[in-house]
Amino acid sequence: MTVHGGDVEPVPPEDAHGRGGEDGARPYEMVVVGSVNADLVVRVDRRPAPGETVIGSDLVTHPGGKGANQAVAAARLGARVALLGRIGSDGHGEFLHKALAGDGVGLGHLVETPGPSGVALITVGADGDNSIIVSPGVNARLSEDDVAAAAGLLASARVVSLQLESPLAAVLAAARTAARVVFNLSPPAVVPDELLALCDPLVVNEHEAAFLLGGRGAPGSQARALLALGPRSVVLTLGAGGAVVAEPGGVIEVPSPRVEAVDTTGAGDAFTGALAWRLAGGDDLATATAFAVRVGAASVRRPGAQSSYPYPEDLEAL
């Protein structure tokens, strides 16, 4: 299944997956290291209590995974982006590979692995909010050796985007190789100080911030406290409330456009993928965050994760 290369900007379909990257004329401006999952989604009027059964909608399968989501979000906006990860040798793996290739993501380091692909079990409530259980599958086998094999790809990228649906050892190895690290602490977990020190920025939502800090507080205060933990910069996302940017020079609040939320699945990944791409293009952090907030807002207007991600023309009204 592995496709090599992938010079990703708007290009003719016959050229979308076969050129560029570390083996072509230009390096990828952005590389995502992370998970690739099949999202199994059911909509419900309300979530069941323990021991209770509720009736939901028909089951729908979408391509997902935090790594794949971020790569697709960036690719749809025009990024040249590659993905380092693993997919299974099952039917989900074939489905996921085809979806990524269709969006022009560079797949030369997407490794097909015997075993089940990652799966996310997602319930979406009437308010558009979601609850997710992830079965990692072969995502759990991404290794430091995989990172070493992609060292040239990672080192040549302007930004490497990381999350925690892959093993921490592989994430840390990728961060050590990268010129600039965008790290989303999701799902939240204890990470070494070395990894935090490499983040520029650390991206967290309110739940992840509370995990790191041991409690909640005003967003500006939380962002400052997160910066004191060692990252070079911080972006605290607030859903419909926008985001807060913290750098050594100060804290900036970034508002979000008002939209009607249909499904928030993958909105944080859309935000992070857009943020990483704009940073790779040379934007300062506040400017990149303002753009990413618009992308995240656009993504909640349609169901699914990758299926909801906007193209540039979808942002014009926001």
Side-chain angles (χ1 to χ4, degrees):
M1 290 183 191
T2 304
V3 176
H4 296 278
D7 197 277
V8 182
E9 39 186 8
V11 292
E14 65 271 20
D15 292 332
H17 318 304
R19 299 177 178 82
E22 62 182 327
D23 301 320
R26 290 183 295 168
Y28 290 104
E29 56 195 353
M30 173 181 165
V31 175
V32 181
V33 180
S35 59
V36 187
N37 293 332
D39 288 349
L40 310 184
V41 183
V42 175
R43 303 187 71 89
V44 293
D45 291 331
R46 62 179 179 83
R47 292 176 181 81
E52 182 185 16
T53 299
V54 300
I55 301 299
S57 68
D58 290 345
L59 178 71
V60 179
T61 302
H62 296 288
K66 298 190 72 64
N69 288 350
Q70 291 180 13
V72 168
R76 288 193 176 186
L77 295 167
R80 299 190 309 279
V81 55
L83 175 64
L84 169 59
R86 286 180 178 257
I87 55 171
S89 54
D90 55 1
H92 286 319
E94 184 175 357
F95 165 70
L96 295 167
H97 188 280
K98 183 176 181 180
L100 287 162
D103 274 306
V105 175
L107 302 179
H109 288 275
L110 180 63
V111 183
E112 182 184 343
T113 307
S117 298
V119 171
L121 309 174
I122 302 173
T123 58
V124 181
D127 57 0
D129 232 343
N130 61 69
S131 300
I132 304 173
I133 300 172
V134 174
S135 173
V138 299
N139 290 306
R141 292 162 62 183
L142 189 71
S143 68
E144 294 172 87
D145 288 342
D146 294 323
V147 172
L153 176 76
L154 295 165
S156 64
R158 296 172 187 167
V159 169
V160 174
S161 185
L162 307 168
Q163 331 78 38
L164 284 178
E165 283 186 348
S166 300
L168 179 58
V171 171
L172 181 57
R176 289 168 174 160
T177 306
R180 182 171 188 174
V181 173
V182 173
F183 176 53
N184 179 207
L185 188 88
S186 180
V190 175
V191 297
D193 292 343
E194 179 189 359
L195 180 54
L196 290 177
L198 293 169
C199 298
D200 191 15
L202 167 69
V203 181
V204 290
N205 64 21
E206 294 169 279
H207 303 291
E208 294 148 5
F211 173 85
L212 276 178
L213 298 173
R216 294 180 178 271
S221 298
Q222 293 282 89
R224 291 184 185 90
L226 290 166
L227 192 64
L229 295 179
R232 300 173 190 178
S233 59
V234 169
V235 176
L236 172 60
T237 62
L238 304 171
V244 175
V245 175
E247 297 181 276
V251 174
I252 299 172
E253 296 182 3
V254 179
S256 172
R258 292 184 176 272
V259 297
E260 182 176 351
V262 173
D263 182 356
T264 61
T265 304
D269 299 329
F271 174 95
T272 306
L275 177 74
W277 174 57
R278 290 301 287 254
L279 291 173
D283 280 0
D284 62 71
L285 186 56
T287 301
T289 300
F291 177 80
V293 163
R294 292 170 59 212
V295 172
S299 76
V300 306
R301 299 183 297 178
R302 294 194 290 265
Q306 294 173 27
S307 58
S308 74
Y309 289 170
Y311 295 91
E313 58 269 23
D314 298 320
L315 303 176
E316 293 175 359
L318 292 178

